[in-house]
Amino acid sequence: MADLAQPATRAVALGRKEQGGMLGISRGSRYTAHAILIIGLLIVAFPIYYTFVASTHSLQTILRPPLPLLPGGRFWENYTTALFGGIGRIGGVDVSTLLFNTTVVALAIAIGKIVISILSAFAIVFFRFPLRMFFFWVIFVTLMLPVEVRILPTYKVMVDLGLIDTYTGLTLPLMASATATLLFRQFFLTIPGELVEAARVDGAGPWRFFKDILLPLSKTNIAALFVILFIYGWTQYLWPLLVTNRNDMNTIVIALRKMISFADADTQWHLVMVTCVLAILPPILVVVLMQRWFVKGLVETEK
Amino acid sequence: MATVELKDVRKVYAGRVEAVKGVSISIPDGAMCVLVGPSGCGKSTLLRMIAGLEEITEGTVSIGGEVVNTRGPAERDIAMVFQNYALYPHMKVYDNMAYGLRNRGMDKAEIDRRVREAAATLGLADFLERKPRELSGGQRQRVAMGRAIVRSPKAFLFDEPLSNLDAKLRGQMRIEIKNLQKSLGVTSVYVTHDQVEAMTLADTLVVMNQGRAEQIDTPLAVYERPASIFVAGFIGSPAMNLLPAKGTQNGLALAAGGTVNPKETALPAPGRDVLLGIRPEHMTLVNDATAADLELKVTAVETLGADTLAHGYPLSSNGRSEPLIARLPGSVRVKDGDVLPLAVQPGMAHIFDAATGLRI
């Protein structure tokens, strides 16, 4: 019966689509909707396109408006200079160093946060230990104390520990995260108690349960969190600004800021634009590559 | 395969709530023991204590002659089938069944042999590569069974395993579980609130109420000689009629009015307050009022085809709230307002003490 019914339903669905799609929206309003979407897309995309265009022209062309709307011929030259030649205003450091720094920082923050928070959520949800709720609330309260609020004491600690201008100093204070812990806690709470008990009957100890059941079930959550945290780490501004003095320890966002002078003539705009484009690329890549997982993590849980 | 023994098992929760108030059950090797009762009666708690998922406050649980109170669930060599199946959603059917064996460090070839054998028994051979979400409810139920079978444990524990299935499938799986349990000969404890399941599956039926075992016996004995009002009302559908009465010299004087003298029934001492219990199916329609024990004034009729259920009240009670139900053959035509002269079948009356609720 079901097999017979299926083609018929599909035919009905197709028929409706031809008449103007689901929900009975008319053709005209569909075009309008698309037009609005396209206009919105252009408004968002144009500055990025323009940045790219600017990154392929010489400084002279940029400084003499209007800037052409089409890419120029200095793509290769500008990009190699920026990536490997060193940029004067930031002490001759090249952009590839900056990219490397920022990648290390963003990855360390994302991975560190995920590891710490998934483990603490695991402890809080699945174990009964003294002061469990106390610890939960201690983690929870740190939500109200973001880096900016505790920045002076944190800075003092970093100086005392000699962690200025190190990757540890750049990432450690940003790692402990109440948000991610809460997210994992909420997810773990939705895991049916019977599943935990089935694992116990099947002879899985806490570590096996974590590795064989909890981690695979959390992978979409982890992926979504990774995307969010990678971008969070990539775009950090205030903390890297404070904790780095040496130019070769800067992240790309800080360097970008340093590359811009008040006087237009001092600023190598073409290199600034190249750096901008390069700064945007990795987060875009992460989002594009992990989009499927990211959406899955936000929408569904495999249960 | 082993016996399962519970001795005065009690469970008191942190808030001083006593969930199980001292239950002793002895299940012989290979038998199926069904715990039945309304929700909150402590049957699941008892099962979870046997499984080792819940700590035992007092008393002992022994499996195969060994006290297992302090052992974890994995060390008790039991397998459990859960109400929501509790399959690992990210694992294939094969891995779901193999997981417990792998954790015990069994060798791969043996695991493979056992899983394939269980899958063949359960008709799951074609589904081994599927994920649980791609299976129907009945198939998931089978996988959960398979996970228990591959382990060849000392005992199976079932926690309302059929309550998520539709009625037709439930009937079918009930028979399958019974056959499987019989052919494997594994001692089993089965928790349900469904009395049909309880009656059909049990070798030993334990009727639980408020943390106590009200009666432990074979299903038929429980039906034929319920030990208390609670058991009488719980087993049997529609429930047994319970009419307040008082013992007299020449029968039972119903509170509703009139006197009943059921045949082949030991009468209580005169003056004693009792409840007269008569199952709806144990009343027969007779020709005239003189031969009748009771007269039923019909207020509602359920025509089920095979049977006709006549709801109403004893004529003598004049409509006071004394419900009485009779199950009559489907061939009998009854309509609202009829007065039916009914005789209680000989020996089929049950008499309970009104104060204690226990059988006399």
Side-chain angles (χ1 to χ4, degrees):
Chain A
M1 273 304 281
D3 289 333
L4 285 175
Q6 229 166 18
T9 8
R10 199 169 292 153
V12 171
L14 282 174
R16 285 175 93 200
K17 202 170 232 171
E18 277 154 17
Q19 284 162 23
M22 51 182 181
L23 305 177
I25 296 168
S26 77
R27 189 171 285 237
S29 60
R30 223 160 24 114
Y31 283 135
T32 319
H34 272 86
I36 292 172
L37 280 176
I38 289 166
I39 291 168
L41 184 71
L42 286 178
I43 292 172
V44 173
F46 185 72
I48 297 169
Y49 169 73
Y50 217 42
T51 308
F52 173 71
V53 169
S55 75
T56 58
H57 285 281
S58 68
L59 180 61
Q60 285 69 33
T61 324
I62 299 171
L63 288 179
R64 205 182 317 111
L67 184 69
L69 278 170
L70 291 173
R74 293 175 57 94
F75 174 84
W76 196 249
E77 202 179 330
N78 284 354
Y79 277 76
T80 38
T81 315
L83 273 172
F84 308 111
I87 294 167
R89 275 198 58 89
I90 52 170
V93 174
D94 51 39
V95 177
S96 56
T97 311
L98 298 174
L99 279 175
F100 177 76
N101 287 348
T102 321
T103 310
V104 168
V105 169
L107 281 179
I109 291 176
I111 294 170
K113 268 194 184 216
I114 288 172
V115 169
I116 291 173
S117 50
I118 202 169
L119 286 174
S120 42
F122 179 52
I124 283 172
V125 174
F126 293 102
F127 292 86
R128 301 281 164 272
F129 53 90
L131 297 180
R132 191 172 68 99
M133 282 322 277
F134 171 76
F135 284 113
F136 171 67
W137 282 106
V138 166
I139 293 172
F140 191 72
V141 160
T142 60
L143 259 188
M144 295 155 207
L145 300 169
V147 175
E148 288 75 7
V149 176
R150 56 187 160 89
I151 203 152
L152 284 176
T154 314
Y155 183 75
K156 176 78 168 71
V157 171
M158 288 299 127
V159 171
D160 290 349
L161 293 176
L163 292 175
I164 302 297
D165 280 331
T166 61
Y167 290 126
T168 320
L170 270 168
T171 53
L172 200 59
L174 298 173
M175 262 186 216
S177 164
T179 351
T181 309
L182 282 179
L183 191 119
F184 280 119
R185 174 182 178 266
Q186 290 317 110
F187 171 66
F188 289 169
L189 287 178
T190 66
I191 288 178
E194 285 194 342
L195 204 61
V196 185
E197 291 173 351
R200 282 179 69 193
V201 172
D202 267 344
W207 171 240
R208 279 217 178 156
F209 173 70
F210 181 73
K211 179 172 71 78
D212 293 343
I213 291 158
L214 221 44
L215 270 187
L217 288 179
S218 311
K219 60 186 177 192
T220 48
N221 277 284
I222 293 175
L225 206 60
F226 178 81
V227 172
I228 294 168
L229 291 177
F230 184 86
I231 292 168
Y232 165 85
W234 190 269
T235 54
Q236 276 302 308
Y237 181 73
L238 187 56
W239 181 249
L241 187 64
L242 277 179
V243 85
T244 56
N245 296 325
R246 274 166 38 206
N247 281 320
D248 63 346
M249 282 304 292
N250 277 340
T251 61
I252 201 161
V253 181
I254 306 300
L256 201 53
R257 163 68 192 78
K258 283 189 183 171
M259 282 161 72
I260 299 166
S261 159
F262 284 112
D264 240 3
D266 276 355
T267 308
Q268 293 178 292
W269 282 111
H270 57 304
L271 297 183
V272 171
M273 290 304 147
V274 170
T275 315
C276 275
V277 171
L278 292 173
I280 306 169
L281 275 180
I284 291 181
L285 270 179
V286 167
V287 171
V288 168
L289 291 179
M290 299 196 68
Q291 190 185 31
R292 201 167 63 89
W293 287 100
F294 179 68
V295 174
K296 250 190 178 177
L298 293 182
V299 178
E300 62 162 76
T301 47
E302 198 180 4
K303 268 198 304 296
Chain B
M1 270 171 260
T3 56
V4 175
E5 290 260 348
L6 310 188
K7 267 210 190 86
D8 298 316
V9 174
R10 283 180 73 226
K11 175 73 193 180
V12 183
Y13 281 108
R16 297 250 175 107
V17 182
E18 203 176 2
V20 177
K21 303 171 183 169
V23 174
S24 302
I25 308 170
S26 167
I27 309 163
D29 188 12
M32 176 82 131
C33 169
V34 175
L35 308 178
V36 68
S39 29
C41 71
K43 55 186 192 296
S44 284
T45 311
L46 195 59
L47 187 80
R48 292 164 52 80
M49 283 196 282
I50 303 174
L53 295 169
E54 201 87 62
E55 263 181 52
I56 300 163
T57 315
E58 244 175 66
T60 57
V61 170
S62 347
I63 298 171
E66 290 170 72
V67 175
V68 293
N69 279 32
T70 54
R71 294 198 199 158
E75 296 155 355
R76 294 190 182 193
D77 200 12
I78 46 106
M80 190 152 172
V81 178
F82 294 88
Q83 181 172 5
N84 297 313
Y85 321 132
L87 302 178
Y88 310 119
H90 58 293
M91 292 187 195
K92 289 173 186 162
V93 168
Y94 186 98
D95 299 314
N96 260 290
M97 293 206 243
Y99 187 61
L101 302 178
R102 283 184 194 143
N103 285 342
R104 281 170 175 75
M106 189 180 280
D107 99 6
K108 266 196 177 144
E110 175 67 6
I111 294 179
D112 192 65
R113 192 188 64 75
R114 288 199 186 190
V115 169
R116 294 199 185 279
E117 194 182 297
T121 316
L122 294 162
L124 286 171
D126 296 337
F127 303 101
L128 285 175
E129 295 304 308
R130 299 232 189 136
K131 293 269 181 76
R133 65 162 176 276
E134 298 162 316
L135 301 177
S136 69
Q139 288 165 340
R140 285 181 208 184
Q141 177 61 58
R142 284 202 184 92
V143 177
M145 296 278 305
R147 198 163 59 177
I149 293 172
V150 288
R151 293 255 318 278
S152 331
K154 285 184 185 153
F156 285 148
L157 307 177
F158 297 89
D159 189 4
E160 310 207 16
L162 303 182
S163 55
N164 280 358
L165 301 177
D166 61 60
K168 190 175 166 226
L169 206 52
R170 202 180 306 159
Q172 195 183 322
M173 288 303 292
R174 197 165 64 211
I175 304 294
E176 276 186 39
I177 289 182
K178 186 168 175 87
N179 291 341
L180 202 64
Q181 195 268 336
K182 283 279 165 287
S183 64
L184 296 172
V186 177
T187 317
S188 304
V189 184
Y190 189 109
V191 163
T192 181
H193 59 262
D194 180 319
Q195 51 161 309
V196 182
E197 260 170 50
M199 292 294 289
T200 50
L201 288 173
D203 295 314
T204 309
L205 185 58
V206 179
V207 184
M208 293 201 51
N209 184 29
Q210 298 182 350
R212 278 181 221 287
E214 290 258 343
Q215 189 168 6
I216 305 175
D217 217 327
T218 62
L220 268 185
V222 170
Y223 174 81
E224 284 166 357
R225 292 185 55 82
S228 65
I229 298 178
F230 175 81
V231 178
F234 193 80
I235 300 292
S237 174
M240 185 187 278
N241 296 298
L242 290 165
L243 302 167
K246 205 187 252 306
T248 64
Q249 293 298 341
N250 49 353
L252 290 159
L254 295 183
T259 301
V260 185
N261 195 354
K263 295 180 189 73
E264 294 177 31
T265 306
L267 289 176
R272 190 167 178 185
D273 283 317
V274 297
L275 284 169
L276 169 64
I278 309 163
R279 294 204 181 273
E281 54 270 38
H282 291 154
M283 287 189 282
T284 328
L285 199 57
V286 288
N287 288 329
D288 64 301
T290 52
D293 291 314
L294 278 164
E295 284 181 288
L296 172 65
K297 171 87 170 166
V298 179
T299 56
V301 180
E302 288 180 273
T303 317
L304 304 176
D307 300 308
T308 300
L309 298 181
H311 297 252
Y313 53 86
L315 188 63
S316 51
S317 75
N318 285 324
R320 279 186 294 135
S321 55
E322 300 272 355
L324 187 65
I325 304 174
R327 184 199 286 266
L328 305 168
S331 55
V332 179
R333 294 284 176 270
V334 186
K335 59 181 189 301
D336 288 8
D338 283 357
V339 174
L340 306 175
L342 297 168
V344 181
Q345 292 172 12
M348 290 303 183
H350 308 266
I351 297 172
F352 304 95
D353 187 276
T356 63
L358 296 179
R359 183 182 191 88
I360 297 174

